[in-house]
Amino acid sequence: MTGSYLRFAAMIATSTVVMFGLMYLNTYALDHVFFSETRAFAALYMGAAMAVIMLAFMLGMYANRSANVAILVGAVVVFGAALLLLRSQATVEDVAYMKAMIPHHSIAVLTSSRANITDPRVRELADKIIESQMREIAEMKALVAELEQR
């Protein structure tokens, strides 16, 4: 019985880490991938929600009522804490902010450069977005390098 709960925990932890990584697949370039506390918080609340859903679907496999309640309470606490941290950005300071924003800007570059845009006005807007986002990414990368040298 303990083994099945350990397997459940390993499954949730592995899935949470995988979800964190998957959030970077929509960046435009590999050098736009930086660790992001915001994405880590999002992965944690998604993992917590997944724990509740998976436990509900597989409740017949997990008969220990106390363990099930502990999992549900723990998942709700992790969900709430991660969501609070994500929404408040309380732990995100200068460098962490820029490392979170670089992939975010990169998504705009990917979308703007690869979308099937046919209207010339929309294409012009997309090109301006690409130019501004790439300029801001370069500026943030330079600031990150400078601030990390201090």
Side-chain angles (χ1 to χ4, degrees):
M1 175 110 67
T2 303
S4 64
Y5 280 100
L6 290 176
R7 186 175 299 124
F8 181 84
M11 185 171 46
I12 296 300
T14 301
S15 297
T16 301
V17 170
V18 168
M19 283 187 285
F20 174 76
L22 290 174
M23 284 189 267
Y24 288 97
L25 290 179
N26 59 349
T27 55
Y28 179 72
L30 190 57
D31 69 326
H32 295 171
V33 174
F34 288 85
F35 174 79
S36 166
E37 289 178 46
T38 300
R39 288 170 193 253
F41 300 146
L44 283 172
Y45 73 63
M46 287 187 278
M50 187 172 59
V52 171
I53 292 165
M54 289 178 70
L55 185 62
F57 272 93
M58 300 187 302
L59 202 52
M61 295 171 58
Y62 299 98
N64 185 328
R65 184 173 168 80
S66 297
N68 294 345
V69 168
I71 290 169
L72 292 174
V73 169
V76 167
V77 168
V78 169
F79 182 92
L83 184 61
L84 176 68
L85 288 167
L86 182 133
R87 300 286 303 168
S88 72
Q89 296 289 292
T91 65
V92 178
E93 296 178 353
D94 297 343
V95 171
Y97 163 77
M98 289 183 291
K99 286 183 174 182
M101 290 305 292
I102 291 169
H104 173 75
H105 280 47
S106 186
I107 293 166
V109 172
L110 176 81
T111 305
S112 298
S113 64
R114 306 244 170 99
N116 187 21
I117 298 171
T118 57
D119 186 288
R121 297 167 298 174
V122 178
R123 179 74 263 155
E124 181 182 352
L125 177 60
D127 290 342
K128 287 178 184 176
I129 289 169
I130 293 166
E131 181 185 332
S132 67
Q133 298 299 290
M134 291 298 283
R135 185 177 57 251
E136 289 174 8
I137 288 169
E139 182 179 355
M140 287 185 283
K141 287 170 85 175
L143 279 168
V144 166
E146 180 184 325
L147 292 173
E148 286 184 336
Q149 291 299 314
R150 290 184 182 178

